[in-house]
Each structure stands twice: as structure tokens, then as C-alpha cells.
Amino acid sequence: MSSNSALERTISKVLSQKEAELVSKIDSAYQESLNNLEASRGKLEAERTRIIGSAKKQAENLKRQIIGSARLAARNQELVTIENAVNNAFEEARKKLAASGGKDSYRALMSNIIEESVSSVGSGGVVIECNKNDAELVRKIVADLQQKNSKVQARVSEQHIDVLGGIRVKSADGTMTFDNTLDSRIERLKPLIRKNIAQMLRGGEEA
């Protein structure tokens, strides 16, 4: 065997060993990369699930906020509509009452109001206040009332009040007052009218 052949075999053997070592290292690195990738995949999947869950939660919260805001806006608009309807209805009522001063129905209404008010105060003597336009009518009704019942002690004040109609009665000593003006009667009716209008707008649903 020549020296060159021995050298070639030695070189070949060394190269084979190095090649095997390199392949082994590459396989090891490849396997390690696969393991790392598999581990990362789990983390990425968990992170993806977390992000999607968070996004869904935020979307649900946003949806509730939008629905809540829409409901609140609708509720506010409904209240505005109801209040406008109530005000329009009462404004129409005021106009009709203002135009009914000389009618028999108004005289009958004032007569009932005066009898009711005097009886409610129930004092030995009362002072009746009314607006300027109703003064003569009120004096006549009071005079008729006193003719029918001599126990009624009432006088009509010379001081007029700025009201649509009706009267305000005070006991002689000023300790009791009964506001039975048309203005106050209308105001007392407002909650009931408001409730009825709300029921109409909601198709009969309770306000």
C-alpha cells in the first residue's frame, strides 16, 4: 500500500466523520426548531383566542352602549313629544276657555267653582279673588249664593289677580287659601293628561 492511498483513506474517514457530525447537528437543530415552533404555536393560539375573546367582549360592550344610547335618545324624544303634545293641548284649552267668558256654560262653571271653593274653605267669612273680566259675574254669583244661603259670608276683593279664570278664596283671617283658578285646575290635570298621551304613544302600554 502506498503512502498516498493511506492518506486518502484517512482524509476520507475524517470527512465522513465530520459529515456525520454536521448532519447530526443539523438534525438536532431542525428538531429543536420544530419543538420551538410547536411551543410557539400553542402560545400564539392562546394569544389569538385571548385577542378574539377580548374583541368580542369589547364589541358586546359597544353594542350595549349603542343600544342604551339609542334607547335613552328615543326615551328623551318621547318625553319631548309628550310634553309638546300636553302643552299644545292645554294651550288649545286655554284659548277655548278664554273665549267662553260670556257663555252660559262658563257662568255655570264659575257658579260651581265658587260654591265648591267657599264650602272648602269653610270659614265664617271668605274673600274671593278673581280676574278683572270675571269680577261682575263673580259678584252676581256670590250675591245669588248668599240669597240662597244666608250663612255664606263672602266678599269679592277689589284686587284682581292675573289668571285665566276661576277664583282664589281666602279665609277672612288669611290662614287658609283655596286656589281654584282655571290655571291651577289645568295644572292639576297635567299629570293625568301626560299619562294618557304617553299611553296613546305606546299603544296602550302603561306610562
Side-chain angles (χ1 to χ4, degrees):
M1 179 181 298
S2 67
S3 60
N4 287 338
S5 296
L7 178 58
E8 289 176 355
R9 286 197 298 273
T10 301
I11 292 172
S12 177
K13 184 179 180 179
V14 169
L15 289 175
S16 296
Q17 289 176 346
K18 292 298 182 182
E19 181 181 358
E21 290 176 0
L22 181 60
V23 169
S24 177
K25 288 182 179 177
I26 292 173
D27 286 343
S28 178
Y30 175 71
Q31 191 59 46
E32 184 179 357
S33 298
L34 287 178
N35 292 338
N36 290 338
L37 181 60
E38 191 63 29
S40 298
R41 180 181 298 172
K43 292 179 181 177
L44 290 173
E45 183 65 26
E47 183 66 14
R48 186 180 75 89
T49 302
R50 187 190 67 78
I51 291 173
I52 292 174
S54 178
K56 286 182 178 178
K57 188 176 181 180
Q58 289 180 2
E60 189 63 30
N61 289 338
L62 183 59
K63 177 183 174 183
R64 283 198 292 266
Q65 289 177 5
I66 292 173
I67 292 174
S69 296
R71 285 177 176 168
L72 182 60
R75 175 69 174 168
N76 289 338
Q77 183 57 48
E78 181 186 68
L79 292 176
V80 170
T81 301
I82 291 172
E83 200 59 31
N84 287 339
V86 170
N87 290 335
N88 290 339
F90 278 95
E91 187 58 33
E92 286 299 316
R94 286 177 187 277
K95 290 179 181 177
K96 289 182 179 179
L97 286 170
S100 65
K103 296 180 180 178
D104 292 340
S105 58
Y106 185 71
R107 295 191 185 92
L109 174 64
M110 287 296 287
S111 180
N112 290 335
I113 286 176
I114 291 171
E115 287 190 38
E116 176 189 37
S117 304
V118 171
S119 175
S120 296
V121 173
S123 173
V126 297
V127 178
I128 298 175
E129 298 174 320
C130 63
N131 67 27
K132 184 177 180 180
N133 293 334
D134 290 341
E136 286 303 317
L137 174 62
V138 172
R139 288 192 183 93
K140 184 177 186 310
I141 293 172
V142 170
D144 292 343
L145 184 61
Q146 288 174 325
Q147 279 189 347
K148 290 190 296 184
N149 185 355
S150 59
K151 293 182 180 179
V152 174
Q153 299 179 25
R155 70 176 178 84
V156 181
S157 173
E158 296 298 329
Q159 300 297 320
H160 301 132
I161 55 178
D162 184 17
V163 294
L164 183 64
I167 62 171
R168 188 165 59 201
V169 179
K170 293 182 178 179
S171 60
D173 59 7
T175 57
M176 290 186 294
T177 300
F178 182 30
D179 188 345
N180 209 4
T181 59
L182 296 184
D183 307 63
S184 64
R185 290 166 72 98
I186 288 174
E187 287 300 318
R188 287 196 289 269
L189 281 175
K190 270 191 174 182
L192 178 61
I193 300 300
R194 188 179 289 111
K195 180 180 179 182
N196 289 340
I197 292 176
Q199 288 177 340
M200 291 172 60
L201 289 174
R202 296 168 186 170
E205 180 185 345
E206 282 292 331

